PDB file of all heavy atoms in Angstrom:
ATOM      1  N   ASN A   2      26.096 193.296 197.395  1.00  0.00           N
ATOM      2  CA  ASN A   2      24.933 193.813 196.679  1.00  0.00           C
ATOM      3  C   ASN A   2      23.704 193.019 197.093  1.00  0.00           C
ATOM      4  O   ASN A   2      22.973 192.491 196.264  1.00  0.00           O
ATOM      5  CB  ASN A   2      25.143 193.759 195.164  1.00  0.00           C
ATOM      6  CG  ASN A   2      23.987 194.355 194.405  1.00  0.00           C
ATOM      7  OD1 ASN A   2      23.337 195.277 194.875  1.00  0.00           O
ATOM      8  ND2 ASN A   2      23.705 193.824 193.246  1.00  0.00           N
ATOM      9  N   PHE A   4      20.909 194.019 198.448  1.00  0.00           N
ATOM     10  CA  PHE A   4      19.650 194.657 198.065  1.00  0.00           C
ATOM     11  C   PHE A   4      19.330 194.369 196.600  1.00  0.00           C
ATOM     12  O   PHE A   4      18.242 193.892 196.274  1.00  0.00           O
ATOM     13  CB  PHE A   4      19.724 196.169 198.318  1.00  0.00           C
ATOM     14  CG  PHE A   4      18.486 196.898 197.901  1.00  0.00           C
ATOM     15  CD1 PHE A   4      17.382 196.939 198.731  1.00  0.00           C
ATOM     16  CD2 PHE A   4      18.429 197.540 196.672  1.00  0.00           C
ATOM     17  CE1 PHE A   4      16.228 197.604 198.344  1.00  0.00           C
ATOM     18  CE2 PHE A   4      17.285 198.205 196.282  1.00  0.00           C
ATOM     19  CZ  PHE A   4      16.179 198.238 197.112  1.00  0.00           C
ATOM     20  N   ARG A   9      16.334 191.586 192.207  1.00  0.00           N
ATOM     21  CA  ARG A   9      16.376 190.789 190.976  1.00  0.00           C
ATOM     22  C   ARG A   9      15.701 189.436 191.190  1.00  0.00           C
ATOM     23  O   ARG A   9      14.894 189.000 190.364  1.00  0.00           O
ATOM     24  CB  ARG A   9      17.807 190.571 190.491  1.00  0.00           C
ATOM     25  CG  ARG A   9      17.848 189.739 189.198  1.00  0.00           C
ATOM     26  CD  ARG A   9      19.240 189.406 188.696  1.00  0.00           C
ATOM     27  NE  ARG A   9      20.061 190.574 188.508  1.00  0.00           N
ATOM     28  CZ  ARG A   9      21.142 190.865 189.243  1.00  0.00           C
ATOM     29  NH1 ARG A   9      21.528 190.067 190.218  1.00  0.00           N
ATOM     30  NH2 ARG A   9      21.841 191.947 188.998  1.00  0.00           N
ATOM     31  N   ASN A  10      16.013 188.783 192.309  1.00  0.00           N
ATOM     32  CA  ASN A  10      15.413 187.478 192.577  1.00  0.00           C
ATOM     33  C   ASN A  10      13.891 187.570 192.701  1.00  0.00           C
ATOM     34  O   ASN A  10      13.166 186.733 192.159  1.00  0.00           O
ATOM     35  CB  ASN A  10      16.003 186.857 193.850  1.00  0.00           C
ATOM     36  CG  ASN A  10      17.430 186.409 193.650  1.00  0.00           C
ATOM     37  OD1 ASN A  10      17.868 186.138 192.531  1.00  0.00           O
ATOM     38  ND2 ASN A  10      18.187 186.347 194.734  1.00  0.00           N
ATOM     39  N   GLU A  14      11.255 185.811 190.316  1.00  0.00           N
ATOM     40  CA  GLU A  14      10.266 184.905 190.916  1.00  0.00           C
ATOM     41  C   GLU A  14       8.851 185.270 190.480  1.00  0.00           C
ATOM     42  O   GLU A  14       8.002 184.402 190.296  1.00  0.00           O
ATOM     43  CB  GLU A  14      10.322 184.974 192.447  1.00  0.00           C
ATOM     44  CG  GLU A  14      11.454 184.229 193.081  1.00  0.00           C
ATOM     45  CD  GLU A  14      11.512 184.463 194.588  1.00  0.00           C
ATOM     46  OE1 GLU A  14      10.524 184.947 195.175  1.00  0.00           O
ATOM     47  OE2 GLU A  14      12.564 184.156 195.173  1.00  0.00           O
ATOM     48  N   ASN A  15       8.613 186.567 190.340  1.00  0.00           N
ATOM     49  CA  ASN A  15       7.301 187.059 189.936  1.00  0.00           C
ATOM     50  C   ASN A  15       7.163 187.172 188.415  1.00  0.00           C
ATOM     51  O   ASN A  15       6.177 187.709 187.928  1.00  0.00           O
ATOM     52  CB  ASN A  15       7.022 188.423 190.584  1.00  0.00           C
ATOM     53  CG  ASN A  15       6.715 188.286 192.052  1.00  0.00           C
ATOM     54  OD1 ASN A  15       5.594 188.005 192.428  1.00  0.00           O
ATOM     55  ND2 ASN A  15       7.720 188.463 192.903  1.00  0.00           N
ATOM     56  N   HIS A  21       8.716 196.232 183.145  1.00  0.00           N
ATOM     57  CA  HIS A  21       7.466 196.287 183.911  1.00  0.00           C
ATOM     58  C   HIS A  21       7.694 196.870 185.304  1.00  0.00           C
ATOM     59  O   HIS A  21       6.939 197.722 185.769  1.00  0.00           O
ATOM     60  CB  HIS A  21       6.822 194.901 184.014  1.00  0.00           C
ATOM     61  CG  HIS A  21       6.381 194.372 182.692  1.00  0.00           C
ATOM     62  ND1 HIS A  21       6.509 193.053 182.349  1.00  0.00           N
ATOM     63  CD2 HIS A  21       5.835 194.990 181.622  1.00  0.00           C
ATOM     64  CE1 HIS A  21       6.052 192.877 181.122  1.00  0.00           C
ATOM     65  NE2 HIS A  21       5.637 194.037 180.661  1.00  0.00           N
ATOM     66  N   LEU A  22       8.746 196.394 185.966  1.00  0.00           N
ATOM     67  CA  LEU A  22       9.041 196.895 187.302  1.00  0.00           C
ATOM     68  C   LEU A  22       9.508 198.348 187.245  1.00  0.00           C
ATOM     69  O   LEU A  22       9.097 199.167 188.074  1.00  0.00           O
ATOM     70  CB  LEU A  22      10.081 196.019 188.000  1.00  0.00           C
ATOM     71  CG  LEU A  22      10.433 196.400 189.431  1.00  0.00           C
ATOM     72  CD1 LEU A  22       9.188 196.467 190.315  1.00  0.00           C
ATOM     73  CD2 LEU A  22      11.450 195.424 190.007  1.00  0.00           C
ATOM     74  N   LYS A  45      15.249 206.118 198.649  1.00  0.00           N
ATOM     75  CA  LYS A  45      14.478 205.597 199.782  1.00  0.00           C
ATOM     76  C   LYS A  45      13.020 205.346 199.388  1.00  0.00           C
ATOM     77  O   LYS A  45      12.441 204.328 199.770  1.00  0.00           O
ATOM     78  CB  LYS A  45      14.553 206.574 200.957  1.00  0.00           C
ATOM     79  CG  LYS A  45      13.980 206.038 202.234  1.00  0.00           C
ATOM     80  CD  LYS A  45      14.246 207.003 203.382  1.00  0.00           C
ATOM     81  CE  LYS A  45      13.786 206.408 204.695  1.00  0.00           C
ATOM     82  NZ  LYS A  45      14.112 207.285 205.820  1.00  0.00           N
ATOM     83  N   GLN A  50       8.530 201.496 197.809  1.00  0.00           N
ATOM     84  CA  GLN A  50       7.671 200.979 196.743  1.00  0.00           C
ATOM     85  C   GLN A  50       7.956 199.501 196.490  1.00  0.00           C
ATOM     86  O   GLN A  50       7.029 198.708 196.311  1.00  0.00           O
ATOM     87  CB  GLN A  50       7.902 201.758 195.439  1.00  0.00           C
ATOM     88  CG  GLN A  50       7.352 203.157 195.431  1.00  0.00           C
ATOM     89  CD  GLN A  50       7.731 203.861 194.133  1.00  0.00           C
ATOM     90  OE1 GLN A  50       8.906 204.154 193.893  1.00  0.00           O
ATOM     91  NE2 GLN A  50       6.740 204.122 193.306  1.00  0.00           N
ATOM     92  N   ILE A  54       5.456 196.312 196.470  1.00  0.00           N
ATOM     93  CA  ILE A  54       5.277 195.523 195.251  1.00  0.00           C
ATOM     94  C   ILE A  54       5.536 194.046 195.513  1.00  0.00           C
ATOM     95  O   ILE A  54       4.769 193.183 195.094  1.00  0.00           O
ATOM     96  CB  ILE A  54       6.194 196.040 194.122  1.00  0.00           C
ATOM     97  CG1 ILE A  54       5.730 197.425 193.656  1.00  0.00           C
ATOM     98  CG2 ILE A  54       6.247 195.062 192.956  1.00  0.00           C
ATOM     99  CD1 ILE A  54       6.730 198.156 192.762  1.00  0.00           C
ATOM    100  N   ILE A  57       7.482 192.568 200.845  1.00  0.00           N
ATOM    101  CA  ILE A  57       8.645 192.334 201.701  1.00  0.00           C
ATOM    102  C   ILE A  57       8.504 193.267 202.892  1.00  0.00           C
ATOM    103  O   ILE A  57       8.072 194.406 202.745  1.00  0.00           O
ATOM    104  CB  ILE A  57       9.960 192.654 200.952  1.00  0.00           C
ATOM    105  CG1 ILE A  57      10.085 191.807 199.687  1.00  0.00           C
ATOM    106  CG2 ILE A  57      11.166 192.454 201.863  1.00  0.00           C
ATOM    107  CD1 ILE A  57      11.243 192.223 198.791  1.00  0.00           C
ATOM    108  N   ASN A  60      10.918 197.207 206.929  1.00  0.00           N
ATOM    109  CA  ASN A  60      12.077 197.388 207.808  1.00  0.00           C
ATOM    110  C   ASN A  60      13.249 196.511 207.384  1.00  0.00           C
ATOM    111  O   ASN A  60      14.405 196.937 207.431  1.00  0.00           O
ATOM    112  CB  ASN A  60      11.702 197.102 209.261  1.00  0.00           C
ATOM    113  CG  ASN A  60      10.786 198.156 209.835  1.00  0.00           C
ATOM    114  OD1 ASN A  60      10.854 199.322 209.464  1.00  0.00           O
ATOM    115  ND2 ASN A  60       9.908 197.748 210.731  1.00  0.00           N
ATOM    116  N   GLU A  61      12.952 195.284 206.994  1.00  0.00           N
ATOM    117  CA  GLU A  61      14.019 194.372 206.553  1.00  0.00           C
ATOM    118  C   GLU A  61      14.658 194.859 205.260  1.00  0.00           C
ATOM    119  O   GLU A  61      15.881 194.846 205.119  1.00  0.00           O
ATOM    120  CB  GLU A  61      13.467 192.951 206.372  1.00  0.00           C
ATOM    121  CG  GLU A  61      13.048 192.279 207.656  1.00  0.00           C
ATOM    122  CD  GLU A  61      14.212 192.083 208.623  1.00  0.00           C
ATOM    123  OE1 GLU A  61      15.313 191.697 208.172  1.00  0.00           O
ATOM    124  OE2 GLU A  61      14.026 192.326 209.825  1.00  0.00           O
ATOM    125  N   LEU A  65      18.572 196.218 204.627  1.00  0.00           N
ATOM    126  CA  LEU A  65      19.441 195.671 203.585  1.00  0.00           C
ATOM    127  C   LEU A  65      19.971 196.788 202.685  1.00  0.00           C
ATOM    128  O   LEU A  65      21.155 196.829 202.351  1.00  0.00           O
ATOM    129  CB  LEU A  65      18.635 194.662 202.758  1.00  0.00           C
ATOM    130  CG  LEU A  65      19.349 193.576 202.017  1.00  0.00           C
ATOM    131  CD1 LEU A  65      20.237 192.762 202.939  1.00  0.00           C
ATOM    132  CD2 LEU A  65      18.334 192.678 201.332  1.00  0.00           C
ATOM    133  N   PHE A  72      28.261 199.861 203.201  1.00  0.00           N
ATOM    134  CA  PHE A  72      29.365 199.081 202.654  1.00  0.00           C
ATOM    135  C   PHE A  72      30.063 199.829 201.523  1.00  0.00           C
ATOM    136  O   PHE A  72      31.292 199.909 201.477  1.00  0.00           O
ATOM    137  CB  PHE A  72      28.878 197.717 202.162  1.00  0.00           C
ATOM    138  CG  PHE A  72      29.974 196.890 201.549  1.00  0.00           C
ATOM    139  CD1 PHE A  72      30.871 196.207 202.352  1.00  0.00           C
ATOM    140  CD2 PHE A  72      30.116 196.820 200.174  1.00  0.00           C
ATOM    141  CE1 PHE A  72      31.905 195.461 201.783  1.00  0.00           C
ATOM    142  CE2 PHE A  72      31.139 196.083 199.603  1.00  0.00           C
ATOM    143  CZ  PHE A  72      32.030 195.399 200.409  1.00  0.00           C
ATOM    144  N   LEU A  73      29.275 200.388 200.602  1.00  0.00           N
ATOM    145  CA  LEU A  73      29.867 201.141 199.491  1.00  0.00           C
ATOM    146  C   LEU A  73      30.673 202.337 199.976  1.00  0.00           C
ATOM    147  O   LEU A  73      31.693 202.684 199.392  1.00  0.00           O
ATOM    148  CB  LEU A  73      28.769 201.606 198.524  1.00  0.00           C
ATOM    149  CG  LEU A  73      28.164 200.514 197.649  1.00  0.00           C
ATOM    150  CD1 LEU A  73      26.964 201.065 196.878  1.00  0.00           C
ATOM    151  CD2 LEU A  73      29.199 199.937 196.698  1.00  0.00           C
ATOM    152  N   ASN A  77      36.578 200.496 200.898  1.00  0.00           N
ATOM    153  CA  ASN A  77      37.991 200.658 200.574  1.00  0.00           C
ATOM    154  C   ASN A  77      38.772 201.447 201.621  1.00  0.00           C
ATOM    155  O   ASN A  77      39.903 201.855 201.382  1.00  0.00           O
ATOM    156  CB  ASN A  77      38.141 201.323 199.201  1.00  0.00           C
ATOM    157  CG  ASN A  77      37.595 200.450 198.101  1.00  0.00           C
ATOM    158  OD1 ASN A  77      37.829 199.246 198.074  1.00  0.00           O
ATOM    159  ND2 ASN A  77      36.842 201.049 197.192  1.00  0.00           N
ATOM    160  N   LYS A  90      28.236 202.219 218.319  1.00  0.00           N
ATOM    161  CA  LYS A  90      28.130 202.683 219.701  1.00  0.00           C
ATOM    162  C   LYS A  90      27.293 203.946 219.789  1.00  0.00           C
ATOM    163  O   LYS A  90      26.463 204.101 220.690  1.00  0.00           O
ATOM    164  CB  LYS A  90      29.525 202.923 220.297  1.00  0.00           C
ATOM    165  CG  LYS A  90      30.270 201.645 220.604  1.00  0.00           C
ATOM    166  CD  LYS A  90      31.663 201.931 221.126  1.00  0.00           C
ATOM    167  CE  LYS A  90      32.437 200.636 221.314  1.00  0.00           C
ATOM    168  NZ  LYS A  90      33.828 200.885 221.719  1.00  0.00           N
ATOM    169  N   LYS A  95      22.322 206.583 221.326  1.00  0.00           N
ATOM    170  CA  LYS A  95      21.220 207.458 220.950  1.00  0.00           C
ATOM    171  C   LYS A  95      19.873 206.802 221.198  1.00  0.00           C
ATOM    172  O   LYS A  95      18.931 207.435 221.669  1.00  0.00           O
ATOM    173  CB  LYS A  95      21.343 207.848 219.460  1.00  0.00           C
ATOM    174  CG  LYS A  95      20.365 208.894 219.040  1.00  0.00           C
ATOM    175  CD  LYS A  95      20.642 209.334 217.617  1.00  0.00           C
ATOM    176  CE  LYS A  95      19.653 210.420 217.211  1.00  0.00           C
ATOM    177  NZ  LYS A  95      19.897 210.894 215.858  1.00  0.00           N
TER     178      LYS A  95
END
Side-chain angles (χ1 to χ4, degrees):
N2 183 32
F4 178 82
R9 180 184 305 113
N10 289 336
E14 282 174 16
N15 286 277
H21 295 141
L22 183 55
K45 189 173 185 176
Q50 288 176 292
I54 291 168
I57 302 171
N60 290 328
E61 292 298 318
L65 204 55
F72 178 79
L73 286 172
N77 296 316
K90 287 177 185 176
K95 188 174 181 179

